[in-house]
Each structure stands twice: as C-alpha cells, then as structure tokens.
C-alpha cells in the first residue's frame, strides 16, 4: 500500500493512465463478449448501407463477419445513436433527425481521416471514433485531476487523483468508449472550466491582460463544446454570472480601464459560446430553408427557425414535462441516483448548511477561500443541466451527460476522503480511500454495464433483464461492503461528541486534522519539531474571524504571530517589542505585516463615546487618530467611517513599526519589508493599504529614530 501511495504522489498521471486502460480493457471485454450484431438490429442499418442493402439480416451478418474478421468485434460498439454519428461521418448530415446530434464529433473524425489520409467508410469510422473517444476521455481524466489542483481543494493531490479516477469509472460507461460525442464534450467542457479557473488562481500574480485572455479562451472551449452537445450553452452561465458581478462592481466603485477590459473579455467569451450554438443552426437553415431547397419544412417559418428545437420535439419527443408519463417512471428511477448526486453536490458547493443535518454532518465543508467561489461557479451549469433533465429531456441520459461536469467528482472524492479520515487511526487516509474506491468501482462497473447493455436488448426483454441485473448489482455491492468493512474498520469508532460541546468538538477535529495532515505532508511535523523558520511576522487583531494562516493558505511554521485587540502598535508595549526583537533578530523574518480588519469591535468602540473600562486606555491611539481626522470621519456614514479608521490605524501602526530601532536597522541592513493590509471578513479577501514613503520621509525618519551603540 505504501508503494501505491508513493506512486500516486510522485506519478499521478501515469497511475491514472494505468487505471484508465485497465478499466477500458475490462469494458471492452464485456462489450465484445455480449451477443452479436444481429441481436441488436440497430447496427444492421449500418451493415445494409456499407455492404448490400438487399441482403437479408442473417446473410448480412455472415458477409460482415467474413469481410471484417479482425474488426468485427468493434462493430458491437456501434449501436443505437452511434449509427447517426457514423452515417454522418461517411456522407455528412442529410436528414432532419440527424441534426439532433452535434456536428463537432463528426467533424473531428472527418478531419482525422483527411489528416491521416484514411479512406472514409463505416468500418474505418468505427475504428477512428472508438480511438478518439478513448483519447478524449483520457484527456478529460487528466483535466479533472488538473482542475482539482487548480482549485486547490482541501485534500490536495489525493483528492484530485480520486476525482480523476471516479471520472474513469463514471456511469456513462461504454458511452465514453463508443462512437458517441460524450468523450469529446467532456473534454471540451472541462477544458473550459480548467481555463476559467486560471484568473481566480493567479488573480494577484497574473496581469489583467492574462486573466482576460484566459476568459476568452475558456469561452472558445465552451463554444466548441456547444458544437458537440447543445447543453454546452449552460457553461456560459459562469461568464454571465461574472459579467453581472463586474457591472455591479463598476456601479459601486466607478469605471476603470481594467473593468472595461474585463467586461470586453466576458462579452467576447459569451459571443464565442453563442457562436458554437448558432453556427450549426445556420448551416441547417441554409440546407433546408433557402430558396433553392426543394421543399421548406414548417419550422423554417418560425420566429426563431431552430432545427434543433424542431427535431428534439418532433422526432425525439422532448418538451416541457412531456416526459412525465407513467410509462417513463422506470426511467426516472434509473436516473434518480445521478440526479441525487448532481443535486447534493450542487448544494454542497453553494452552502452545505442547506442540506439536511443527516447529510451535512457527514460531508466536508468547502474551505472559506477563493476556491469556494470557484466551486460555486462550477455548480451553475450543473444546476441548469439537472433542471433540464428533470423537466424537459429524456431523463435517463443524465448518467452520460453528467460526465462533462466535474463538480460531482470533487464532491464524491471529498466525501470519500473525509469519511475515511473520520474512521479512526487504522481506517483513515489513503488506504481506506482505496478500499472504498475499489468497492464503489465495482458497483459503478455493474451500473455502467447495465446502463449500456440493457437498453440495447429488444424492448420485450428489457424488464426481466433489468430486474436480474439490479438484483445482482445490489447483491454484489452488499458483499463488497461486508468484506471491506471487515478489512477497513479494525478500530473502534471515536466517542461521539455531545451537541454544543465546542471544546470536545475541537479536540476531535484536532485528531482528524493531525491524522490527515500527517498523511498529506509526512515531513511537516518532523520538520516542525526541529525548529521554525518563518519568513513572515504577522501582527493582527485578536478577533476570532481573522485566522492568518488559513486566510493566506499557509502551513504551520510559515507565520510568526502576535495578536492584540484592534491590532495596535504601542511604542512602549513590552509584548510587541519582544515579539519584534525575537522575530527580526533571531528568526530573521523577511516581512512584517500589520493587518487590520472590517467590523472591528475596537475601532467601533473608539468611534463611540461609551465608557468601557480598562480597554479605553488601550484604545487611546485610535481615539487620537479619530481626533486628528474628525473632519473626514464625520462626513462619512458609520460603516465607511469605521473602514477609514481601520486604514488610518494600519498606516499609523506601520509608521510606528518603522520607527522601532530593531525594524529600522533591519530595513537598512537586509531590506526587511513592512506591509499594511486590511482583511474583509465579509468576503475573506485581503487588500493592501498604501504605506509607501518618499525619500524625504525616509531621510527624516532615519535622522530622528536611528540609534547606535
């Protein structure tokens, strides 16, 4: 198990590739071992077009077998909707109903034929489609892993690896291997999500031009996804959401060139998405509705002449609540597990408190950090597709459409790792996750096979086969659960914590945190035991809402901390002077950060005139600042005045710090930097305060406060 863990940590993509090909081999064996082409008559439509339309089915079956002994087994992947893709690959789109299937996948396969100079035929189309489906699925798996790393989730690399592995075994099953568009859509849609996270990840470091370019390229990826599956349009909700937020920011803070370019990039990205939706509709309109067309269909005269809307309603029976019939109840039952996963993972991303207590207490809480808002953006298109599946479309296809939305994999991976870490010392961490993953992988295999193979059977045989398959799935899952519970849960569960006992809860979470941290960073605690080497001295407020290590995404040992009420710097305070001397002379920190925060009780007290007791003496520097800036503060409302006094206090504190002889010497001798920031408790963001000095101010400060032995 330790070698496996080491391989996952050092070569995660290689391990994912090995798991991918193992899983695909298992699926291929199951498909090839299934009944022949003649058992599912949909494939014979391709055989008639490719060999001889007049042949009987039995003779057709025999001729095909003799002609393609080596590739004959691959034809078993070409069933149901695959015949539309394969026909279009050979002779482009011809009939109305074929436009229900996006052109993107067909164009990619056709382009592959041209680049590699392969003869276009149904047989070569099957081979090329299967190869490309596998390629795009593998790339999607890598993107799920990479996106998890970009989002910087709590469990880091392990969680991202598990999310990628879950995408390999997702219930879409053989649809991600066969001549279908699911793999390509998954790749392009997740690529768009991946590109869109870059502006959030590098918001402080990357230039605004780089961030805007990333938005445009993400829009291009989403637009290409729309050419593959029309539901790619819902990914544009992310850009629309940020467009609205940007406009609100402009109205609140005023217009700036950065905001203008931000709006332009979002509009361009949205236009690219719309283009991916409109261009195929325009091509169909030219084919069927131009004056040269032999006969114009009735949809050409509609206000919005969309062939897609027409085909979905006329040929496939889609429409608002049109699928809500008693005969379709079994299909809703088949889709219920995936719909539940989509719904719960969406609520988890927005706010776990919206979930019932029985669920929320068993789930990890997303970090209150920038990546929490990224998860919420991923939830927007997932919410739309869930609503669409329930109210408008064939609900059972949600099991394969969901493969293009990565949020559900991160939620499942978080759930696996979180619950594993809560299972006790012998059942926590990666070994426990692998046991659970093996269990669920087997279940997903049976589910994906039943989801692919059962609908391929003739209609009158579906019911008994579905009942038998469901019974075998449940029996196998129960058996695996029994075995894994005996193997994994050796130690007793921890004692339950009484509701409301915050200290007992803190102790319990400490054990969980220590166990998980030791597994993710095995060298951290041993290195900390040898000593500390922080580069930052943090001077902040005692307020419980301002956790410096958490808000900066740092680890234990990265920050040396001093906190007091209202983060004040008294020149005669022995406590802060001792901290400064030790941090600068002994620890050799490179940065001193003074951090104020919004909604500060000390600042609000200094702005009021109520007698509070001993703390009034401590807050005297704040009251002095209030007196010196009374004209400015009285013109502001209460909230703005409080924020202004926070900034003034930080500026005054930085000035006092620079006048300290230890700080002054370190600035001159080794370039120590002093920073002032304000933490917004309402959104978790830090903003820098202007504490720059000009040369004259530095000269005066040095002359007044520089001392020597």
């Amino acid at each position: 198990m330790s070698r496996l863990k080491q391989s996952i940590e050092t070569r995660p993509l290689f391990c994912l590739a090995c798991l991918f090909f193992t899983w695909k081999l298992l699926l291929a064996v199951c498909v090839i071992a299934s009944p022949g082409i003649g058992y599912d008559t949909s494939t014979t439509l391709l055989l008639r077009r490719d060999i001889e339309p007049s042949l009987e089915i039995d003779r057709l079956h025999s001729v095909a077998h003799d002609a393609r002994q080596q590739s004959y087994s691959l034809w078993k992947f070409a069933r149901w909707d695959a015949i539309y893709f394969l026909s279009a690959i050979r002779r482009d789109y011809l009939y109305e109903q074929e436009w229900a299937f996006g052109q993107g996948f067909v164009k990619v396969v056709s382009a592959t034929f041209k680049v590699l100079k392969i003869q276009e035929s149904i047989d070569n189309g099957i081979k090329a489609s299967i190869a490309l489906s596998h390629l795009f699925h593998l790339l999607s798996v890598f993107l799920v892993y990479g996106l998890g790393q970009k989002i910087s989730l709590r469990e880091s690399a392990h969680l991202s690896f598990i999310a990628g592995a879950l995408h390999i075994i997702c219930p879409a099953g053989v649809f991600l291997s066969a001549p279908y568009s699911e793999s390509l859509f998954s790749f392009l849609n997740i690529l768009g999500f991946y590109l869109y996270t870059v502006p959030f990840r590098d918001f402080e470091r990357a230039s605004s031009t780089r961030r805007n370019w990333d938005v445009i390229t993400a829009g291009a990826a989403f637009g290409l996804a729309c050419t593959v599956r029309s539901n790619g349009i819902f990914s544009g909700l992310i850009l629309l959401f940020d467009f609205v937020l940007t406009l609100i920011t402009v109205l609140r803070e005023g217009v700036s060139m950065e905001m203008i370019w931000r709006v332009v990039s979002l509009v361009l990205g949205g236009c690219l998405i719309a283009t991916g939706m409109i261009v195929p509709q325009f091509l169909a309109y030219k084919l069927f509705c131009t004056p040269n067309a032999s006969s114009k269909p009735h949809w050409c005269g509609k206000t919005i002449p969309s062939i897609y809307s027409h085909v979905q309603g006329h040929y496939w029976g889609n429409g608002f609540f049109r699928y809500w019939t008693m005969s379709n109840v079994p299909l809703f039952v088949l889709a219920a597990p995936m719909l539940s996963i989509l719904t719960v993972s969406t609520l988890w991303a927005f706010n776990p408190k919206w979930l019932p207590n029985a669920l929320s207490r068993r789930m990890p809480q997303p970090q209150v950090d920038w990546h929490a808002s990224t998860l919420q953006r991923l939830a927007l298109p997932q919410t739309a597709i869930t609503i669409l599946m329930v109210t408008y479309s064939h609900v059972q296809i949600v099991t394969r459409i969901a493969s293009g939305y990565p949020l559900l994999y991160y939620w499942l991976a978080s759930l696996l790792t979180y619950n594993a870490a809560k299972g006790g010392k012998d059942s926590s961490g990666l070994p426990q996750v692998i046991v659970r993953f093996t269990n669920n992988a087997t279940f997903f295999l049976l589910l994906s096979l039943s989801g692919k193979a059962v609908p391929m059977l003739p209609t009158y045989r579906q019911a008994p086969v579905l009942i038998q398959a469901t019974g075998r799935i449940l029996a196998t899952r129960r058996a695996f659960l029994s075995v894994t519970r005996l193997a994994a849960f050796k130690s007793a569960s921890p004692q339950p914590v009484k509701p409301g006992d915050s200290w007992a809860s803190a102790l319990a979470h400490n054990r969980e945190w220590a166990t998980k941290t030791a597994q993710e960073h095995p060298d951290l605690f041993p290195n900390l035991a040898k000593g500390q080497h922080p580069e930052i001295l943090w001077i902040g407020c005692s307020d419980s809402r301002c956790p410096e290590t958490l808000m900066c995404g740092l680890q234990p040992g990265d920050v040396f901390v001093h906190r007091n009420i209202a983060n004040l710097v008294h020149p005669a305070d022995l406590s802060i002077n001792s901290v400064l001397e030790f941090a600068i002379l002994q620890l050799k920190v490179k940065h001193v950060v003074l951090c104020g925060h919004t909604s500060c009780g000390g600042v609000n007290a200094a702005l009021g005139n109520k007698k509070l007791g001993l703390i009034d003496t401590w807050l005297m520097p704040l009251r002095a600042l209030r007196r010196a800036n009374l004209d400015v503060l009285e013109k502001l409302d209460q909230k703005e005045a409080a924020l202004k006094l926070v900034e003034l206090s930080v500026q005054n504190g930085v000035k006092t710090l620079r006048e300290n002889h230890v700080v002054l010497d370190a600035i001159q001798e080794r370039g120590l930097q002093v920073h002032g920031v304000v933490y917004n408790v309402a959104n978790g963001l830090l903003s820098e305060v202007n504490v720059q000095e000009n040369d004259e101010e530095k000269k005066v400060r040095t002359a007044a406060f520089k001392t020597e032995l």
Side-chain angles (χ1 to χ4, degrees):
M1 191 65 71
S2 60
R3 291 186 61 185
L4 175 59
K5 179 179 178 180
Q6 184 179 5
S7 297
I8 291 174
E9 291 176 346
T10 57
R11 297 191 296 173
L13 296 183
F14 174 78
C15 292
L16 283 173
C18 291
L19 179 61
F20 176 87
F21 288 113
T22 302
W23 181 261
K24 290 296 185 179
L25 179 61
L26 181 59
L27 284 180
V29 169
C30 295
V31 172
I32 294 172
S34 64
I37 295 175
Y39 193 62
D40 177 5
T41 58
S42 64
T43 310
T44 61
L45 296 174
L46 289 174
L47 292 172
R48 288 182 182 279
R49 297 168 187 170
D50 199 47
I51 301 176
E52 176 55 54
S54 62
L55 290 178
E56 297 294 331
I57 289 180
D58 292 342
R59 176 59 179 155
L60 192 67
H61 188 283
S62 176
V63 172
H65 186 275
D66 294 338
R68 303 178 179 83
Q69 289 186 359
Q70 294 184 359
S71 61
Y72 175 70
S73 298
L74 298 180
W75 281 67
K76 295 183 179 181
F77 285 90
R79 305 186 181 190
W80 282 46
D81 292 348
I83 65 174
Y84 291 99
F85 290 106
L86 293 169
S87 298
I89 289 169
R90 186 178 184 186
R91 46 121 175 101
D92 210 348
Y93 286 72
L94 184 61
Y95 303 105
E96 273 188 347
Q97 63 268 31
E98 293 175 344
W99 288 84
F101 306 94
Q103 289 188 314
F105 182 74
V106 172
K107 297 301 182 183
V108 168
V109 178
S110 299
T112 303
F113 282 160
K114 293 179 181 179
V115 171
L116 301 180
K117 298 181 180 179
I118 301 174
Q119 180 182 359
E120 293 189 4
S121 67
I122 297 295
D123 191 52
N124 289 335
I126 292 175
K127 296 176 183 177
S129 299
I130 293 174
L132 289 172
S133 290
H134 282 76
L135 172 63
F136 290 126
H137 186 195
L138 179 61
L139 294 176
S140 299
V141 171
F142 291 162
L143 282 173
V144 169
Y145 173 83
L147 179 58
Q149 297 292 87
K150 284 280 185 184
I151 296 175
S152 187
L153 293 166
R154 186 187 300 270
E155 288 79 5
S156 188
H158 289 168
L159 186 144
S160 301
F161 179 86
I162 295 168
L166 286 170
H167 190 272
I168 294 173
I169 65 166
C170 70
V174 185
F175 285 104
L176 295 172
S177 304
Y180 280 79
S181 60
E182 266 64 27
S183 291
L184 179 57
F185 173 77
S186 176
F187 166 69
L188 291 172
N189 209 44
I190 299 175
L191 176 62
F193 293 138
Y194 180 88
L195 293 171
Y196 202 78
T197 59
V198 175
F200 294 93
R201 176 72 175 183
D202 301 325
F203 190 82
E204 296 297 334
R205 291 173 292 176
S207 64
S208 59
T209 303
R210 163 73 185 279
R211 297 197 298 268
N212 294 333
W213 176 250
D214 289 330
V215 170
I216 295 172
T217 54
F222 290 140
L224 291 173
C226 287
T227 67
V228 180
R229 289 201 69 98
S230 61
N231 49 281
I233 193 72
F234 292 123
S235 299
L237 291 173
I238 301 177
L239 277 73
L240 178 61
F241 176 76
D242 282 323
F243 178 77
V244 173
L245 289 184
T246 304
L247 290 184
I248 293 174
T249 303
V250 169
L251 293 175
R252 182 183 301 168
E253 302 178 1
V255 180
S256 65
M257 285 304 300
E258 183 177 354
M259 287 298 171
I260 291 175
W261 285 114
R262 174 70 172 170
V263 170
V264 170
S265 67
L266 288 167
V267 170
L268 286 176
C271 290
L272 289 173
I273 297 174
T275 301
M277 189 72 178
I278 294 172
V279 168
Q281 309 290 318
F282 176 73
L283 295 176
Y285 184 85
K286 286 183 61 179
L287 180 64
F288 292 100
C289 303
T290 57
N292 297 329
S294 56
S295 61
K296 295 183 180 180
H298 69 88
W299 59 268
C300 293
K302 291 186 176 181
T303 305
I304 302 178
S306 170
I307 190 172
Y308 182 78
S309 299
H310 164 69
V311 168
Q312 288 293 331
H314 182 72
Y315 292 99
W316 305 103
N318 284 327
F320 194 61
F321 288 122
R322 289 177 64 179
Y323 215 59
W324 285 47
T325 62
M326 287 301 298
S327 60
N328 287 331
V329 168
L331 298 179
F332 277 90
V333 173
L334 183 65
M338 182 54 71
L339 290 173
S340 300
I341 290 174
L342 291 171
T343 302
V344 175
S345 59
T346 298
L347 294 176
W348 169 74
F350 281 120
N351 191 345
K353 294 181 180 178
W354 292 349
L355 298 170
N357 289 335
L359 285 176
S360 62
R361 67 170 176 258
R362 297 180 181 178
M363 295 182 185
Q365 307 293 308
Q367 286 179 300
V368 185
D369 201 347
W370 65 267
H371 82 265
S373 63
T374 308
L375 291 177
Q376 292 165 8
R377 284 170 170 81
L378 294 180
L380 290 174
Q382 183 171 296
T383 302
I385 200 65
T386 305
I387 295 173
L388 179 74
M389 289 293 102
V390 173
T391 60
Y392 188 87
S393 298
H394 294 191
V395 68
Q396 73 277 8
I397 68 172
V398 71
T399 55
R400 50 190 172 105
I401 286 182
S403 62
Y405 298 90
L407 177 63
L408 67 96
Y409 304 114
Y410 299 133
W411 171 70
L412 287 170
S414 297
L415 195 61
L416 283 169
T417 54
Y418 179 76
N419 287 335
K422 290 176 70 68
K425 66 178 183 178
D426 288 338
S427 58
S428 63
L430 190 60
Q432 167 73 0
V433 170
I434 292 173
V435 173
R436 288 175 177 268
F437 178 78
T438 305
N439 168 22
N440 287 282
T442 305
F443 175 70
F444 272 123
L445 169 62
L446 296 171
L447 183 62
S448 61
L449 288 176
S450 66
K452 173 67 180 176
V454 171
M456 288 182 176
L457 302 178
T459 305
Y460 66 88
R461 304 189 187 197
Q462 283 187 8
V465 173
L466 181 59
I467 293 172
Q468 293 176 11
T470 304
R472 290 172 182 171
I473 289 171
L474 295 176
T476 305
R477 180 163 171 77
R478 283 195 297 269
F480 266 83
L481 280 172
S482 300
V483 173
T484 54
R485 281 170 181 163
L486 287 174
F489 295 95
K490 296 180 180 179
S491 61
S493 299
Q495 293 297 320
V497 177
K498 296 180 180 180
D501 191 343
S502 57
W503 173 239
S505 176
L507 286 175
H509 284 102
N510 168 257
R511 289 190 291 271
E512 296 170 11
W513 169 81
T515 301
K516 184 165 55 177
T517 303
Q519 292 167 349
E520 295 174 0
H521 308 283
D523 297 330
L524 178 63
F525 291 135
N527 288 337
L528 291 177
K530 298 175 183 177
Q532 59 173 326
H533 306 282
E535 295 188 356
I536 300 172
L537 166 60
W538 186 280
I539 302 172
C541 182
S542 300
D543 195 295
S544 62
R545 299 166 294 177
C546 305
E548 59 286 325
T549 304
L550 183 60
M551 73 172 72
C552 295
L554 300 175
Q555 293 287 348
D558 290 341
V559 186
F560 193 68
V561 180
H562 175 80
R563 299 171 77 172
N564 60 47
I565 294 176
N567 48 274
L568 294 177
V569 182
H570 287 262
D573 180 14
L574 291 178
S575 176
I576 196 169
N577 279 295
S578 300
V579 169
L580 285 169
E581 185 172 305
F582 181 76
I584 294 173
L585 299 183
Q586 303 301 323
L587 298 178
K588 305 294 184 182
V589 296
K590 298 178 180 178
H591 303 271
V592 176
V593 179
L594 179 61
C595 178
H597 68 94
T598 59
S599 304
C600 180
V603 170
N604 291 332
L607 285 172
N609 295 306
K610 185 177 180 180
K611 185 176 294 185
L612 301 173
L614 184 62
I615 194 175
D616 289 326
T617 303
W618 177 259
L619 296 177
M620 285 298 292
L622 280 177
R623 292 192 181 277
L625 279 174
R626 176 191 176 189
R627 180 191 62 190
N629 298 276
L630 195 59
D631 293 341
V632 176
L633 296 174
E634 286 184 342
K635 295 177 183 179
L636 305 174
D637 61 34
Q638 184 177 358
K639 185 176 180 180
E640 292 174 340
L643 178 58
K644 183 63 177 178
L645 188 54
V646 168
E647 294 174 348
L648 291 171
S649 176
V650 170
Q651 289 174 332
N652 187 68
V654 170
K655 180 181 177 183
T656 304
L657 284 170
R658 286 171 172 162
E659 293 168 354
N660 182 284
H661 71 94
V662 176
V663 177
L664 185 58
D665 291 344
I667 291 175
Q668 293 182 334
E669 293 171 3
R670 57 184 181 86
L672 176 71
Q673 298 182 39
V674 184
H675 311 272
V677 295
V678 173
Y679 175 66
N680 191 329
V681 298
N683 59 24
L685 295 176
L686 289 168
S687 57
E688 290 195 285
V689 178
N690 183 13
V691 292
Q692 297 297 320
E693 292 179 307
N694 57 42
D695 292 338
E696 184 62 27
E697 289 172 330
K698 293 178 182 178
K699 183 178 180 181
V700 171
R701 172 169 54 81
T702 302
F705 294 96
K706 178 67 175 179
T707 58
E708 297 179 358
L709 292 175

